[in-house]
Amino acid sequence: MNEQLQPLKKQPRTGKSSRSGTQDDVVYAHIFDAILEQRLAPGTKLSEEALGEIFGVSRTIIRRALSRLAHEGVVLLRPNRGAVVASPSVDEARQIFYARRMVERAITELAVEHATAEQLAELRQMVTDEQTSFSRGDRGAGIRLSGEFHLKLAEAAKNAPLISFQRSLVSQTSLIIAQYESGSRSHCSYDEHNQLIDAIEARDTAKAVSLMMHHMDHIDSKLNLDEDSASDDLHAVFSHLLQTKKKSGRSTSRSV
């Protein structure tokens, strides 16, 4: 017997993508984070019915969120067949990484020029949180924080178009890594991130750009055709939300 799911409530920002705003903002943020954390596998069918049940909202809300994700290139909307998580081909992956390199270079150069002491402190805290996540075995959170580091760096560059472009590229890169990463999947990006912050703080453009390109080389070197570890089961990916709602429902029932 299925329990009646209640609509998602607006939540304060907790380090992940913003969970405040309209209902489609909340749904968008949850799906974006699931992609960034590589919990949603490339090619996963995003059933409007299943997502509506999971999030307790109408299909109209789900469609709005999926449309935004499609605009960013991480969801593919197929006429009469529904939406799926994007599954970049090898050629598309190469193009995305080429674009990512160009954008990262520009962002790094601008960050050296514009990053404030407060922004550098925020970046350092993100690196600490990233390292803590990997240390405790929370790979998904570590991957998300690694991606959010690059989004925060884009903010420090103070160029709005680059921020928007970077958001799309970071999420697409996460899909590519989920689809093609090989080897032990060890992550030491926090060391490279710390070195990059040091170079930016020293206002050393040449060193900062060199470190960023080395960082991108490191990511690129681990890519190959291989199985992914993400899931195509929507209910499994968002099980933490369903469990919270079930617990809430039981508490309400007992108090009546």
Side-chain angles (χ1 to χ4, degrees):
M1 182 181 297
N2 294 328
E3 297 185 30
Q4 180 64 40
L5 298 178
Q6 298 301 314
L8 285 174
K9 295 181 179 180
K10 298 178 183 178
Q11 305 176 33
R13 184 176 179 85
T14 58
K16 294 189 177 185
S17 300
S18 177
R19 299 287 175 74
S20 61
T22 63
Q23 287 182 311
D24 52 295
D25 287 333
V26 176
V27 173
Y28 163 87
H30 276 297
I31 298 176
F32 182 87
D33 282 342
I35 290 173
L36 208 59
E37 293 182 9
Q38 299 179 4
R39 292 184 287 116
L40 269 177
T44 300
K45 183 177 180 180
L46 298 170
S47 164
E48 292 179 3
E49 181 179 3
L51 290 170
E53 176 186 346
I54 289 165
F55 292 107
V57 297
S58 69
R59 288 193 177 190
T60 299
I61 298 299
I62 297 299
R63 289 189 193 112
R64 288 176 186 167
L66 293 178
S67 179
R68 290 174 60 184
L69 291 161
H71 181 71
E72 293 183 0
V74 293
V75 166
L76 177 63
L77 300 179
R78 307 172 302 175
N80 303 317
R81 291 189 296 163
V84 295
V85 177
S87 182
S89 66
V90 171
D91 185 54
E92 288 170 336
R94 288 172 179 160
Q95 292 182 39
I96 290 167
F97 261 84
Y98 181 83
R100 175 84 185 266
R101 283 177 178 275
M102 298 301 101
V103 169
E104 291 287 9
R105 177 183 291 275
I107 285 174
T108 301
E109 291 173 347
L110 289 171
V112 169
E113 182 179 352
H114 297 294
T116 65
E118 181 181 1
Q119 288 173 323
L120 291 172
E122 290 176 351
L123 286 167
R124 290 193 188 281
Q125 184 58 54
M126 292 183 76
V127 174
T128 298
D129 293 342
E130 177 191 354
Q131 184 174 9
T132 300
S133 296
F134 282 121
S135 296
R136 68 168 182 258
D138 191 346
R139 183 174 182 274
I143 292 171
R144 172 178 52 77
L145 285 165
S146 180
E148 288 186 348
F149 173 90
H150 289 267
L151 297 179
K152 178 63 68 175
L153 188 62
E155 292 177 13
K158 292 181 171 57
N159 183 292
L162 282 178
I163 294 172
S164 177
F165 197 14
Q166 180 73 318
R167 185 171 180 84
S168 173
L169 289 172
V170 166
S171 52
Q172 289 183 75
T173 299
S174 190
L175 286 176
I176 293 168
I177 292 173
Q179 191 170 352
Y180 296 120
E181 187 179 39
S182 62
S184 62
R185 295 184 176 223
S186 61
H187 287 264
C188 55
S189 61
Y190 40 82
D191 292 329
E192 296 169 0
H193 286 169
N194 270 325
Q195 293 169 10
L196 178 61
I197 296 171
D198 290 340
I200 292 173
E201 188 171 41
R203 307 302 174 185
D204 189 336
T205 301
K207 184 175 182 180
V209 170
S210 177
L211 287 168
M212 177 59 82
M213 294 302 98
H214 172 75
H215 180 49
M216 296 306 298
D217 286 342
H218 183 202
I219 297 172
D220 195 17
S221 69
K222 295 189 294 182
L223 296 180
N224 203 340
L225 292 175
D226 198 3
E227 61 182 349
D228 57 58
S229 62
S231 172
D232 59 3
D233 185 335
L234 295 178
H235 287 81
V237 170
F238 299 109
S239 61
H240 60 296
L241 298 177
L242 296 175
Q243 290 171 0
T244 299
K245 290 176 181 179
K246 288 180 180 179
K247 289 178 181 179
S248 177
R250 287 196 294 268
S251 298
T252 302
S253 298
R254 285 196 294 269
S255 64
V256 174

